[in-house]
Amino acid sequence: MTIRHHLTAEILLSYAAGNLAEGWSLAVATHLALCPDCRAREVQFSAIGGEALEDAVPAELSDGALAACFALIDLDEVDLNGEAQQPLPPVIAGTPTLPEPLRGYVGGDADSVRWSSVGGGIRQCLIKVSGEAKARLLYIPAGDKVPQHGHRGLELTLVLSGSFADGAMQFHRGDIEVADEQVNHTPTAGPGEPCICLAVTDAPIVFKSLLPRLVQRFVKI
Ligand SMILES: [Zn+2]
């Protein structure tokens, strides 16, 4: 399994800071369960955050603060501590369709999902999470299109089974699409088998404050 679509640094950094609502964290953690590359990056971010937060001094949020923060971080120069250099756990062969922690939320693997129809052969299963983010499993029959939609906020879509195409991009198991309000798309399930994916979106009314909140903790560094 080669994962080609990964989490952004901003999202991983916020996750490492423990600063994401439960729905986002579920999508990130489930991607990490499938993606050794992002697990390694998350370990680095955690090491950076842990050291920096020890000396944290609150400061005002300013325009460009996040970009300035990243400009100061050169991962190649980071002196990782012993904990961060521990070998990463291997991905276990023959893992179920739904890795942990997602499987725990569902109460079993894909065969125990209680789907409900949303029309056109597409099914969903809402996942109970706290906070403003909404999480659901989607089942898209092979070759079917999800009706075109834009976003008023962030959307994370993690493929668990099958595949989908979004324009010229292909997403397979483990791939995660990070779509924001700039994206207006018509994802289409690949041929041959249905696509099962985890989709997390935020309520539009909350989104305006989401990005500042995501970066706030690290801007305080
Ligand atoms: Zn990844």
Side-chain angles (χ1 to χ4, degrees), residues 14 35 49-50 104 145 153 171 175 178-179 194 199:
S14 299
C35 182
K145 296 182 190 311
F171 295 83
D175 284 330
V178 181

Side-chain angles (χ1 to χ4, degrees), residues 3 5-7 31 35 37-38 41:
I3 294 176
H5 299 277
H6 298 277
L7 292 160
H31 176 77
C35 182
D37 291 346
C38 284
R41 295 164 69 211

Side-chain angles (χ1 to χ4, degrees), residues 64-77:
L66 180 62
C69 178
F70 278 110
L72 292 172
I73 297 172
D74 183 345
L75 292 178
D76 292 332
E77 298 297 324

Side-chain angles (χ1 to χ4, degrees), residues 96 167 169 181:
M169 294 188 293
E181 68 274 19

